[in-house]
Amino acid sequence: MSDNLAIARILSETADLLELKEANPFKIRAYRRAALNVEGLSKGVDDLSREELREIPGIGEELAAKIEEYVRTGSIHAHDRLKNEIPAALLALLAVPGLGPKTARLLQ
């Protein structure tokens, strides 16, 4: 179950990073919805097949593959890549409670 929380955190952070990059709002929303739904699961994601993952609301083929990648490797390459594209100071602003991606981008 700790994998669920770790994956939910990564999905949520990915949504924040995408928002900083002003990515497609539908994609950002999909990551946020998937994060909430993974966090609320009563079963560990490492026990679920890809088909079972896709049955979770908000998780399509792409997000199911990313969750499987995390279960296999302990990280999600796309998330790591996004983190490397964002300046460290901007990432630090996201850690401030109550400061979201839009405000952080304005303060940059």
Side-chain angles (χ1 to χ4, degrees), residues 23-74:
N24 181 328
F26 295 106
K27 188 171 191 173
I28 295 166
R29 210 168 329 177
Y31 273 92
R32 292 199 194 290
R33 182 174 182 210
L36 288 172
N37 289 333
V38 166
E39 187 175 354
L41 287 176
S42 59
K43 192 173 186 183
V45 292
D46 51 338
D47 295 329
L48 301 176
S49 69
R50 183 172 293 206
E51 292 75 33
E52 290 172 313
L53 286 171
R54 291 193 63 213
E55 290 174 6
I56 299 168
I59 297 184
E61 187 62 33
E62 183 181 326
L63 286 174
K66 287 180 170 122
I67 291 169
E68 286 180 332
E69 177 185 359
Y70 180 86
V71 170
R72 275 192 328 275
T73 68

Side-chain angles (χ1 to χ4, degrees), residues 16 19-20 32 89-108:
D16 289 344
E19 192 167 341
L20 285 172
R32 292 199 194 290
L90 199 49
L91 289 175
L93 286 174
L94 287 178
V96 176
L99 192 66
K102 288 180 185 176
T103 306
R105 191 173 55 243
L106 290 173
L107 295 173
Q108 177 185 8

